[in-house]
Amino acid sequence: MKKYQIEVCANSIESCLAAQAGGADRVELCAGIPEGGTTPSYGEISIARELLTRTRLHVIIRPRGGDFLYSPIEIKTMLMDIEMAGKIGADGVVFGCLTAEGEIDLPAMQQLMQASKGLSVTFHRAFDVCRNSQKALEQIIELGCNRILTSGQQSTAELGISLLKELRIQAAGRIILLAGCGVNEKNISHIAQETGIEEFHFSARQTIKSDMNYKNESVSMGGTVHINEYERNVTTAQRVMDTIQALYKAIDKE
């Protein structure tokens, strides 16, 4: 039987622990999920490292939301964050840099790869907004990255099945493809069967209500950006288990 690798996108230590309890092989710890993920704090990485005893810890290195065209100061920040993650004991880091023309920013990536020696490196979904996926794949392999997190340049991995399959064939075992974005218990087996990919990234989150008794819902912490301040999304062990089981059940039937 195939052994799939499961990565959970964790937005908190609580989500990290749920991922571990649900059987995830690793987590990608992120802050700023509504922005697509930004670098978590020193404290969060440190406590996650302390509590994740069976699950590998990867940390996103992304100084802000928005595009992946980074200034020299932002690259310097990323280098420091990689150093910090390594010292704390992270198993891997996750980053990606593009040029203004949508190409892989090779000089920036080379600096970050040098700083990441000894760590597993995932090139994140900056790949999904690059100009030429086939060319980018070869460049990322040449840089020495261990894997690429991708939805096949579509809004979800299920919609990106066609390109994901093409990329896996092109990669020919030289790099791992990690299928992510919109992966869940309902579609994971379909994506696996159609693409042949063996690593999956998902959040397995559900909404939980705040325990606050007093609420002032007229005030938004985001100013003009209004979200529900009295609920949050957290990974649950049950959804992680359900998604993993859905994958293996489909394989058992083959």
Coordinates of all heavy atoms in Angstrom, one line a residue, residues 155-253:
S155 N -7.6 27.8 -8.5 CA -8.1 28.2 -7.2 C -8.1 27.1 -6.2 O -8.1 27.3 -5.0 CB -9.4 28.9 -7.4 OG -10.4 28.0 -8.0
T156 N -8.3 25.9 -6.7 CA -8.2 24.7 -5.8 C -7.4 23.6 -6.5 O -7.3 23.6 -7.7 CB -9.6 24.1 -5.5 OG1 -10.2 23.5 -6.7 CG2 -10.5 25.2 -4.9
A157 N -6.9 22.7 -5.7 CA -6.1 21.6 -6.3 C -7.0 20.7 -7.1 O -6.5 20.1 -8.1 CB -5.5 20.8 -5.1
E158 N -8.2 20.5 -6.8 CA -9.1 19.7 -7.6 C -9.3 20.3 -9.0 O -9.3 19.6 -10.0 CB -10.5 19.6 -6.9 CG -11.4 18.5 -7.6 CD -12.6 18.2 -6.7 OE1 -13.0 19.0 -5.9 OE2 -13.1 17.0 -6.9
L159 N -9.4 21.6 -9.1 CA -9.5 22.2 -10.4 C -8.2 22.2 -11.1 O -8.1 22.3 -12.4 CB -9.9 23.7 -10.2 CG -11.4 23.9 -9.8 CD1 -11.7 25.4 -9.5 CD2 -12.4 23.3 -10.8
G160 N -7.1 22.0 -10.4 CA -5.7 22.0 -11.0 C -5.2 20.6 -11.3 O -4.0 20.5 -11.6
I161 N -6.1 19.6 -11.3 CA -5.7 18.2 -11.5 C -4.8 18.0 -12.7 O -3.8 17.4 -12.7 CB -6.9 17.3 -11.4 CG1 -7.3 17.0 -10.0 CG2 -6.6 16.0 -12.2 CD1 -8.6 16.2 -9.9
S162 N -5.3 18.6 -13.8 CA -4.6 18.4 -15.1 C -3.1 18.8 -15.0 O -2.2 18.1 -15.4 CB -5.3 19.2 -16.2 OG -4.6 19.0 -17.5
L163 N -2.9 20.1 -14.5 CA -1.5 20.5 -14.5 C -0.7 19.8 -13.4 O 0.5 19.5 -13.6 CB -1.5 22.0 -14.2 CG 0.0 22.6 -14.1 CD1 0.7 22.4 -15.4 CD2 -0.1 24.1 -13.8
L164 N -1.4 19.5 -12.3 CA -0.7 18.7 -11.2 C -0.1 17.4 -11.8 O 1.0 17.0 -11.5 CB -1.6 18.4 -10.1 CG -2.0 19.6 -9.2 CD1 -3.1 19.2 -8.2 CD2 -0.7 20.1 -8.4
K165 N -0.9 16.7 -12.6 CA -0.5 15.5 -13.2 C 0.7 15.7 -14.2 O 1.7 15.0 -14.1 CB -1.6 14.8 -14.0 CG -1.3 13.4 -14.6 CD -2.5 12.8 -15.2 CE -2.2 11.5 -15.8 NZ -3.4 10.8 -16.4
E166 N 0.6 16.7 -15.0 CA 1.7 17.1 -15.9 C 3.0 17.4 -15.1 O 4.1 17.0 -15.5 CB 1.3 18.3 -16.7 CG 0.2 18.0 -17.8 CD -0.2 19.3 -18.5 OE1 0.6 20.2 -18.5 OE2 -1.3 19.3 -19.1
L167 N 2.9 18.1 -14.1 CA 4.0 18.5 -13.3 C 4.7 17.3 -12.6 O 5.9 17.2 -12.5 CB 3.7 19.5 -12.2 CG 3.3 20.9 -12.7 CD1 2.7 21.8 -11.6 CD2 4.5 21.6 -13.4
R168 N 3.8 16.4 -12.1 CA 4.4 15.2 -11.5 C 5.2 14.3 -12.5 O 6.3 13.8 -12.2 CB 3.3 14.3 -10.9 CG 3.8 13.0 -10.2 CD 2.7 12.1 -9.9 NE 1.9 11.6 -11.0 CZ 2.4 10.7 -11.9 NH1 3.6 10.1 -11.7 NH2 1.6 10.3 -12.9
I169 N 4.6 14.2 -13.7 CA 5.3 13.5 -14.8 C 6.6 14.2 -15.2 O 7.7 13.6 -15.3 CB 4.4 13.4 -16.0 CG1 3.2 12.5 -15.7 CG2 5.2 12.8 -17.2 CD1 2.1 12.5 -16.7
Q170 N 6.6 15.5 -15.3 CA 7.8 16.3 -15.6 C 8.9 16.2 -14.5 O 10.1 16.0 -14.7 CB 7.5 17.8 -15.8 CG 8.7 18.6 -16.1 CD 8.4 20.1 -16.3 OE1 7.2 20.5 -16.4 NE2 9.4 21.0 -16.2
A171 N 8.4 16.2 -13.2 CA 9.3 16.1 -12.1 C 10.1 14.8 -12.1 O 11.2 14.7 -11.7 CB 8.6 16.4 -10.8
A172 N 9.4 13.7 -12.4 CA 10.0 12.4 -12.5 C 10.8 12.0 -11.3 O 11.9 11.5 -11.4 CB 10.9 12.3 -13.8
G173 N 10.2 12.3 -10.1 CA 10.9 11.9 -8.9 C 12.0 12.8 -8.4 O 12.6 12.6 -7.4
R174 N 12.3 13.9 -9.1 CA 13.4 14.8 -8.7 C 13.0 15.8 -7.6 O 13.9 16.3 -7.0 CB 13.9 15.6 -10.0 CG 14.5 14.7 -11.0 CD 14.8 15.5 -12.3 NE 13.6 16.0 -12.9 CZ 13.6 17.1 -13.7 NH1 14.7 17.8 -14.0 NH2 12.5 17.5 -14.3
I175 N 11.7 16.0 -7.4 CA 11.2 16.9 -6.4 C 9.8 16.4 -6.0 O 9.1 15.7 -6.8 CB 11.2 18.3 -6.9 CG1 11.0 19.3 -5.7 CG2 10.1 18.6 -7.9 CD1 11.2 20.8 -6.1
I176 N 9.4 16.6 -4.8 CA 8.1 16.2 -4.3 C 7.1 17.3 -4.7 O 7.3 18.5 -4.5 CB 8.1 16.0 -2.8 CG1 9.0 14.9 -2.4 CG2 6.7 15.7 -2.3 CD1 9.4 14.9 -0.9
L177 N 5.9 16.9 -5.2 CA 4.8 17.8 -5.4 C 3.8 17.6 -4.2 O 3.4 16.5 -4.0 CB 4.1 17.6 -6.7 CG 5.0 17.9 -8.0 CD1 4.2 17.6 -9.2 CD2 5.3 19.4 -7.9
L178 N 3.5 18.7 -3.6 CA 2.6 18.7 -2.5 C 1.3 19.4 -2.9 O 1.3 20.6 -3.1 CB 3.3 19.5 -1.3 CG 2.4 19.8 0.0 CD1 2.0 18.5 0.6 CD2 3.3 20.6 0.9
A179 N 0.3 18.7 -3.1 CA -1.0 19.2 -3.6 C -1.8 19.9 -2.4 O -2.0 19.2 -1.4 CB -1.9 18.1 -4.2
G180 N -2.1 21.1 -2.6 CA -2.8 21.8 -1.6 C -3.8 22.9 -2.1 O -3.7 23.3 -3.3
C181 N -4.6 23.4 -1.3 CA -5.7 24.4 -1.5 C -7.0 23.7 -1.8 O -7.2 23.1 -2.9 CB -5.3 25.4 -2.6 SG -6.4 26.8 -2.6
G182 N -7.9 23.8 -0.9 CA -9.2 23.2 -1.1 C -9.3 21.7 -1.0 O -10.3 21.1 -1.3
V183 N -8.2 21.1 -0.5 CA -8.2 19.6 -0.3 C -8.9 19.3 1.0 O -8.7 19.9 2.0 CB -6.7 19.1 -0.2 CG1 -6.7 17.6 0.1 CG2 -5.9 19.4 -1.5
N184 N -9.8 18.3 0.9 CA -10.6 17.9 2.0 C -11.0 16.4 1.9 O -10.7 15.7 1.0 CB -11.9 18.8 2.2 CG -12.7 18.8 0.9 OD1 -13.1 17.8 0.4 ND2 -13.1 20.0 0.4
E185 N -11.8 16.0 2.9 CA -12.2 14.6 2.9 C -13.1 14.2 1.8 O -13.2 13.0 1.4 CB -12.9 14.3 4.3 CG -14.1 15.2 4.6 CD -13.7 16.4 5.4 OE1 -13.0 17.3 4.9 OE2 -14.2 16.5 6.6
K186 N -13.7 15.1 1.1 CA -14.6 14.8 -0.1 C -13.8 14.6 -1.4 O -14.3 14.0 -2.3 CB -15.6 15.8 -0.2 CG -16.6 15.9 1.0 CD -17.7 17.0 0.8 CE -18.6 17.0 2.0 NZ -19.7 18.1 1.8
N187 N -12.6 15.3 -1.5 CA -12.0 15.2 -2.8 C -10.6 14.7 -2.8 O -10.0 14.5 -3.9 CB -12.0 16.6 -3.5 CG -11.2 17.7 -2.6 OD1 -10.4 17.3 -1.8 ND2 -11.6 18.9 -2.8
I188 N -10.0 14.4 -1.6 CA -8.6 14.0 -1.6 C -8.3 12.7 -2.4 O -7.3 12.7 -3.1 CB -8.1 13.9 -0.1 CG1 -6.6 13.8 -0.1 CG2 -8.8 12.8 0.6 CD1 -6.0 13.9 1.3
S189 N -9.2 11.8 -2.3 CA -8.9 10.5 -3.0 C -9.0 10.7 -4.5 O -8.2 10.1 -5.3 CB -9.9 9.4 -2.6 OG -11.3 9.8 -2.9
H190 N -9.9 11.6 -5.0 CA -10.0 11.9 -6.4 C -8.7 12.5 -6.9 O -8.2 12.2 -8.0 CB -11.2 12.8 -6.6 CG -11.4 13.2 -8.0 ND1 -11.6 12.4 -9.1 CD2 -11.4 14.5 -8.6 CE1 -11.7 13.1 -10.2 NE2 -11.6 14.3 -9.9
I191 N -8.2 13.5 -6.1 CA -7.0 14.2 -6.5 C -5.8 13.2 -6.6 O -5.0 13.2 -7.5 CB -6.7 15.3 -5.6 CG1 -7.8 16.4 -5.6 CG2 -5.4 16.0 -5.9 CD1 -7.7 17.4 -4.5
A192 N -5.8 12.3 -5.6 CA -4.7 11.4 -5.5 C -4.7 10.4 -6.7 O -3.7 10.1 -7.4 CB -4.7 10.6 -4.2
Q193 N -5.9 9.9 -7.0 CA -6.1 8.9 -8.1 C -5.8 9.5 -9.5 O -5.2 8.9 -10.3 CB -7.5 8.3 -8.0 CG -7.7 7.4 -6.8 CD -9.1 7.1 -6.6 OE1 -10.0 7.8 -7.0 NE2 -9.4 5.9 -6.0
E194 N -6.2 10.8 -9.7 CA -6.0 11.4 -11.0 C -4.6 11.9 -11.2 O -4.2 12.0 -12.4 CB -7.0 12.6 -11.1 CG -8.5 12.1 -11.2 CD -8.8 11.3 -12.4 OE1 -8.2 11.6 -13.5 OE2 -9.6 10.4 -12.3
T195 N -3.9 12.3 -10.2 CA -2.6 12.9 -10.4 C -1.4 12.0 -10.1 O -0.3 12.2 -10.6 CB -2.5 14.2 -9.4 OG1 -2.5 13.8 -8.1 CG2 -3.6 15.2 -9.7
G196 N -1.6 11.0 -9.2 CA -0.5 10.2 -8.8 C 0.3 10.9 -7.7 O 1.4 10.3 -7.3
I197 N -0.1 12.0 -7.2 CA 0.7 12.7 -6.2 C 0.5 12.0 -4.8 O -0.6 11.5 -4.5 CB 0.2 14.2 -6.1 CG1 0.8 15.0 -7.3 CG2 0.6 14.9 -4.8 CD1 0.3 16.4 -7.5
E198 N 1.5 12.1 -4.0 CA 1.5 11.3 -2.7 C 1.7 12.1 -1.5 O 1.8 11.6 -0.4 CB 2.6 10.2 -2.8 CG 2.3 9.2 -3.9 CD 3.3 8.1 -4.0 OE1 4.3 8.1 -3.1 OE2 3.2 7.2 -4.9
E199 N 1.7 13.5 -1.7 CA 1.8 14.4 -0.5 C 0.6 15.4 -0.6 O 0.4 15.9 -1.7 CB 3.1 15.1 -0.4 CG 4.2 14.2 0.0 CD 5.4 14.9 0.7 OE1 5.3 16.1 1.1 OE2 6.4 14.2 0.9
F200 N -0.1 15.6 0.5 CA -1.2 16.5 0.5 C -1.2 17.5 1.7 O -0.7 17.2 2.8 CB -2.5 15.7 0.6 CG -2.7 14.9 -0.7 CD1 -2.3 13.6 -0.8 CD2 -3.4 15.5 -1.8 CE1 -2.4 12.8 -1.9 CE2 -3.5 14.7 -2.9 CZ -3.1 13.4 -3.0
H201 N -1.7 18.7 1.4 CA -1.7 19.8 2.3 C -3.1 20.3 2.5 O -3.8 20.6 1.5 CB -0.8 20.9 1.7 CG -0.8 22.2 2.4 ND1 0.2 22.7 3.2 CD2 -1.7 23.3 2.3 CE1 -0.1 23.9 3.6 NE2 -1.2 24.3 3.1
F202 N -3.6 20.3 3.7 CA -4.9 20.9 3.9 C -5.0 21.4 5.3 O -4.1 21.2 6.2 CB -6.0 19.8 3.7 CG -5.8 18.5 4.4 CD1 -6.2 18.3 5.7 CD2 -5.2 17.4 3.8 CE1 -6.0 17.2 6.4 CE2 -5.0 16.2 4.5 CZ -5.4 16.1 5.8
S203 N -6.1 22.1 5.6 CA -6.2 22.8 6.9 C -7.2 22.0 7.9 O -7.0 22.1 9.1 CB -6.7 24.2 6.8 OG -8.0 24.2 6.2
A204 N -8.2 21.3 7.4 CA -9.1 20.6 8.2 C -9.7 21.4 9.3 O -9.9 21.0 10.5 CB -8.5 19.3 8.8
R205 N -10.0 22.7 9.0 CA -10.5 23.6 10.1 C -12.0 23.6 10.1 O -12.7 23.3 9.1 CB -10.0 25.0 9.8 CG -8.5 25.2 10.1 CD -8.1 26.6 10.2 NE -8.1 27.2 8.9 CZ -7.1 27.4 8.1 NH1 -5.9 26.9 8.4 NH2 -7.2 28.0 6.9
Q206 N -12.5 24.0 11.3 CA -14.0 24.3 11.4 C -14.1 25.5 12.3 O -13.2 25.9 13.0 CB -14.7 23.1 12.0 CG -14.5 22.8 13.4 CD -15.3 21.6 13.9 OE1 -15.5 20.6 13.1 NE2 -15.8 21.6 15.1
T207 N -15.2 26.2 12.2 CA -15.5 27.4 12.9 C -16.0 27.1 14.3 O -16.8 26.3 14.5 CB -16.5 28.3 12.2 OG1 -16.1 28.5 10.8 CG2 -16.8 29.6 12.9
I208 N -15.3 27.8 15.3 CA -15.8 27.7 16.6 C -16.1 29.1 17.2 O -15.5 30.1 16.8 CB -14.7 27.0 17.6 CG1 -13.5 27.8 17.6 CG2 -14.4 25.6 17.1 CD1 -12.5 27.3 18.7
K209 N -17.1 29.1 18.0 CA -17.6 30.4 18.6 C -16.8 30.8 19.8 O -16.2 30.0 20.5 CB -19.1 30.2 19.0 CG -20.0 29.9 17.9 CD -20.2 31.0 16.9 CE -21.2 30.6 15.8 NZ -21.3 31.7 14.8
S210 N -16.7 32.1 19.9 CA -16.0 32.7 21.1 C -16.7 32.4 22.4 O -17.9 32.2 22.4 CB -15.9 34.2 20.9 OG -15.5 34.8 22.1
D211 N -15.9 32.2 23.5 CA -16.5 32.0 24.8 C -16.8 33.3 25.5 O -17.3 33.3 26.7 CB -15.5 31.2 25.7 CG -15.4 29.8 25.2 OD1 -16.3 29.2 24.7 OD2 -14.3 29.2 25.4
M212 N -16.6 34.4 24.8 CA -17.0 35.7 25.4 C -18.5 35.8 25.7 O -19.3 35.5 24.8 CB -16.6 36.9 24.5 CG -15.1 37.1 24.3 SD -14.3 37.7 25.8 CE -15.1 39.3 25.9
N213 N -18.8 36.3 26.9 CA -20.2 36.6 27.2 C -20.6 38.0 26.8 O -21.6 38.2 26.3 CB -20.4 36.4 28.7 CG -20.3 34.9 29.2 OD1 -20.8 34.1 28.5 ND2 -19.6 34.7 30.3
Y214 N -19.7 39.0 27.1 CA -19.9 40.3 26.7 C -19.3 40.5 25.3 O -18.1 40.2 25.0 CB -19.3 41.3 27.6 CG -19.3 42.7 27.1 CD1 -20.5 43.5 27.1 CD2 -18.2 43.3 26.6 CE1 -20.6 44.8 26.6 CE2 -18.2 44.6 26.0 CZ -19.4 45.3 26.1 OH -19.5 46.6 25.6
K215 N -20.0 41.1 24.3 CA -19.6 41.3 23.0 C -20.0 42.7 22.5 O -21.1 43.1 22.7 CB -20.2 40.3 22.0 CG -19.9 38.8 22.3 CD -20.6 37.9 21.4 CE -20.3 36.4 21.8 NZ -21.0 35.5 20.9
N216 N -19.0 43.4 21.9 CA -19.3 44.7 21.3 C -19.0 44.5 19.8 O -17.9 44.7 19.3 CB -18.4 45.8 21.9 CG -18.7 47.2 21.2 OD1 -19.5 47.3 20.3 ND2 -18.0 48.2 21.7
E217 N -20.0 44.1 19.1 CA -19.8 43.8 17.7 C -19.8 45.0 16.7 O -19.7 44.8 15.5 CB -20.9 42.8 17.3 CG -20.8 41.5 18.1 CD -21.8 40.4 17.6 OE1 -21.9 40.2 16.4 OE2 -22.4 39.7 18.5
S218 N -20.0 46.2 17.3 CA -19.9 47.4 16.5 C -18.5 47.9 16.2 O -18.3 48.7 15.4 CB -20.7 48.5 17.1 OG -20.1 48.9 18.4
V219 N -17.5 47.3 16.9 CA -16.1 47.6 16.8 C -15.4 46.5 16.0 O -15.5 45.4 16.4 CB -15.5 47.9 18.1 CG1 -14.0 48.2 18.0 CG2 -16.2 49.0 18.9
S220 N -14.6 46.9 15.0 CA -13.8 46.0 14.2 C -12.3 46.2 14.5 O -11.9 47.3 14.4 CB -14.1 46.1 12.7 OG -13.2 45.3 12.0
M221 N -11.6 45.1 14.8 CA -10.2 45.3 15.1 C -9.4 45.5 13.8 O -8.3 45.9 13.8 CB -9.7 44.0 15.7 CG -10.2 43.7 17.1 SD -9.8 45.0 18.3 CE -11.4 45.9 18.5
G222 N -10.1 45.3 12.6 CA -9.4 45.5 11.3 C -9.8 46.8 10.7 O -9.6 47.0 9.5
G223 N -10.4 47.7 11.5 CA -10.8 49.0 11.0 C -12.0 48.9 10.0 O -13.1 48.5 10.3
T224 N -11.7 49.2 8.7 CA -12.7 49.1 7.7 C -12.9 47.7 7.2 O -13.9 47.4 6.4 CB -12.3 50.0 6.5 OG1 -11.1 49.6 6.0 CG2 -12.3 51.5 6.9
V225 N -12.0 46.8 7.5 CA -12.1 45.4 7.2 C -12.9 44.7 8.3 O -12.4 44.5 9.4 CB -10.8 44.7 6.9 CG1 -11.0 43.2 6.6 CG2 -10.0 45.4 5.9
H226 N -14.1 44.3 8.0 CA -15.0 43.7 9.0 C -15.0 42.2 8.9 O -15.4 41.6 7.9 CB -16.4 44.3 8.9 CG -16.5 45.7 9.3 ND1 -16.6 46.1 10.6 CD2 -16.4 46.8 8.5 CE1 -16.6 47.5 10.6 NE2 -16.5 47.9 9.4
I227 N -14.6 41.5 10.0 CA -14.7 40.1 10.1 C -15.5 39.8 11.4 O -15.6 40.7 12.2 CB -13.4 39.4 10.1 CG1 -12.5 39.8 11.3 CG2 -12.7 39.6 8.8 CD1 -11.3 39.0 11.4
N228 N -15.9 38.6 11.6 CA -16.6 38.2 12.8 C -15.5 38.0 13.9 O -14.8 37.1 13.9 CB -17.4 37.0 12.7 CG -18.3 36.7 13.9 OD1 -18.0 37.1 15.0 ND2 -19.4 36.0 13.6
E229 N -15.4 39.0 14.8 CA -14.4 38.9 15.9 C -14.7 37.8 16.9 O -13.9 37.5 17.8 CB -14.3 40.3 16.6 CG -14.2 41.5 15.7 CD -12.8 41.7 15.2 OE1 -11.9 40.9 15.6 OE2 -12.6 42.6 14.3
Y230 N -15.9 37.3 16.9 CA -16.3 36.3 17.9 C -16.5 34.9 17.4 O -17.3 34.1 17.9 CB -17.6 36.9 18.6 CG -17.4 38.2 19.3 CD1 -17.8 39.4 18.7 CD2 -16.7 38.2 20.5 CE1 -17.5 40.6 19.3 CE2 -16.4 39.4 21.1 CZ -16.8 40.6 20.5 OH -16.6 41.8 21.1
E231 N -15.7 34.6 16.4 CA -15.5 33.2 16.0 C -14.2 33.1 15.3 O -13.6 34.0 14.9 CB -16.6 32.8 15.0 CG -16.6 33.5 13.7 CD -17.8 33.1 12.8 OE1 -18.8 32.7 13.3 OE2 -17.5 33.1 11.5
R232 N -13.7 31.9 15.3 CA -12.4 31.6 14.7 C -12.4 30.2 14.1 O -13.2 29.4 14.5 CB -11.2 31.8 15.6 CG -11.3 31.0 16.9 CD -10.4 31.5 18.0 NE -10.6 30.7 19.2 CZ -9.9 29.7 19.6 NH1 -8.9 29.3 18.8 NH2 -10.1 29.0 20.7
N233 N -11.4 30.0 13.2 CA -11.3 28.7 12.5 C -10.1 28.0 13.0 O -9.0 28.5 13.1 CB -11.2 28.9 11.0 CG -12.4 29.5 10.4 OD1 -13.5 29.1 10.7 ND2 -12.3 30.4 9.5
V234 N -10.4 26.7 13.5 CA -9.3 25.9 14.1 C -9.3 24.5 13.5 O -10.4 23.9 13.3 CB -9.6 25.8 15.6 CG1 -8.5 25.0 16.3 CG2 -9.6 27.2 16.3
T235 N -8.2 24.0 13.3 CA -8.0 22.6 12.8 C -8.6 21.7 13.9 O -8.4 21.9 15.1 CB -6.6 22.2 12.6 OG1 -6.1 23.1 11.5 CG2 -6.4 20.8 12.2
T236 N -9.3 20.6 13.5 CA -9.8 19.6 14.4 C -9.2 18.3 14.1 O -9.0 17.9 12.9 CB -11.3 19.5 14.4 OG1 -11.7 18.9 13.1 CG2 -12.0 20.9 14.5
A237 N -8.9 17.5 15.1 CA -8.3 16.2 15.0 C -9.2 15.3 14.2 O -8.8 14.5 13.3 CB -8.0 15.6 16.3
Q238 N -10.5 15.4 14.4 CA -11.5 14.6 13.7 C -11.5 14.8 12.2 O -11.5 13.8 11.4 CB -12.9 14.8 14.2 CG -13.9 13.8 13.7 CD -13.6 12.4 14.1 OE1 -13.5 12.1 15.3 NE2 -13.5 11.5 13.1
R239 N -11.4 16.1 11.8 CA -11.4 16.3 10.3 C -10.1 15.9 9.7 O -10.0 15.4 8.6 CB -11.6 17.8 10.0 CG -13.0 18.3 10.2 CD -13.3 19.5 9.3 NE -13.3 19.2 7.9 CZ -13.2 20.1 7.0 NH1 -13.1 21.4 7.3 NH2 -13.1 19.8 5.7
V240 N -9.0 16.0 10.5 CA -7.7 15.5 9.9 C -7.8 14.0 9.7 O -7.5 13.4 8.7 CB -6.5 15.8 10.9 CG1 -5.3 15.1 10.4 CG2 -6.3 17.3 11.0
M241 N -8.3 13.3 10.8 CA -8.5 11.8 10.7 C -9.4 11.4 9.5 O -9.2 10.5 8.8 CB -9.0 11.2 12.0 CG -8.0 11.2 13.1 SD -8.5 10.3 14.6 CE -9.7 11.6 15.3
D242 N -10.5 12.1 9.4 CA -11.5 11.8 8.4 C -10.9 12.0 7.0 O -11.2 11.2 6.1 CB -12.7 12.8 8.5 CG -13.6 12.5 9.7 OD1 -13.4 11.4 10.3 OD2 -14.5 13.3 10.0
T243 N -10.1 13.0 6.8 CA -9.5 13.3 5.5 C -8.5 12.2 5.2 O -8.4 11.7 4.0 CB -8.9 14.6 5.4 OG1 -9.8 15.6 5.8 CG2 -8.4 15.0 4.0
I244 N -7.6 11.8 6.1 CA -6.7 10.8 5.9 C -7.4 9.4 5.6 O -7.0 8.7 4.7 CB -5.7 10.6 7.2 CG1 -4.9 11.9 7.3 CG2 -4.8 9.4 7.0 CD1 -4.1 11.9 8.6
Q245 N -8.4 9.1 6.4 CA -9.1 7.9 6.2 C -9.8 7.8 4.8 O -9.8 6.8 4.2 CB -10.2 7.7 7.3 CG -9.5 7.3 8.6 CD -10.5 7.4 9.8 OE1 -11.7 7.6 9.6 NE2 -10.1 7.1 11.0
A246 N -10.3 9.0 4.4 CA -11.0 9.0 3.1 C -10.0 8.7 2.0 O -10.3 8.0 1.0 CB -11.6 10.4 2.8
L247 N -8.7 9.1 2.1 CA -7.7 8.8 1.2 C -7.3 7.4 1.1 O -7.3 6.7 0.1 CB -6.4 9.6 1.5 CG -5.2 9.4 0.7 CD1 -5.4 9.8 -0.8 CD2 -4.0 10.3 1.2
Y248 N -7.1 6.7 2.3 CA -6.7 5.4 2.3 C -7.9 4.4 2.0 O -7.6 3.3 1.4 CB -6.1 5.0 3.7 CG -4.7 5.5 3.8 CD1 -4.3 6.6 4.5 CD2 -3.6 4.8 3.1 CE1 -3.0 7.1 4.6 CE2 -2.3 5.2 3.2 CZ -2.0 6.3 3.9 OH -0.7 6.7 4.0
K249 N -9.1 4.8 2.3 CA -10.2 3.9 2.0 C -10.4 3.7 0.5 O -10.7 2.7 0.0 CB -11.5 4.5 2.6 CG -11.7 4.2 4.1 CD -13.0 4.8 4.6 CE -13.2 4.5 6.1 NZ -14.4 5.1 6.6
A250 N -10.2 4.8 -0.2 CA -10.3 4.8 -1.7 C -9.2 3.9 -2.3 O -9.4 3.2 -3.2 CB -10.2 6.2 -2.2
I251 N -8.0 4.0 -1.7 CA -6.9 3.2 -2.2 C -7.1 1.7 -1.9 O -6.8 0.9 -2.7 CB -5.6 3.7 -1.6 CG1 -5.3 5.2 -1.9 CG2 -4.4 2.8 -2.0 CD1 -5.4 5.5 -3.4
D252 N -7.7 1.4 -0.7 CA -8.0 0.0 -0.4 C -8.9 -0.6 -1.4 O -8.9 -1.9 -1.6 CB -8.5 0.0 1.0 CG -7.5 0.2 2.1 OD1 -6.3 0.1 1.8 OD2 -7.9 0.5 3.3
K253 N -9.8 0.2 -2.0 CA -10.8 -0.4 -2.9 C -10.2 -0.7 -4.2 O -10.8 -1.4 -5.0 CB -12.0 0.6 -3.0 CG -12.8 0.8 -1.8 CD -13.9 1.8 -2.0 CE -14.7 2.0 -0.7 NZ -15.7 3.1 -0.9

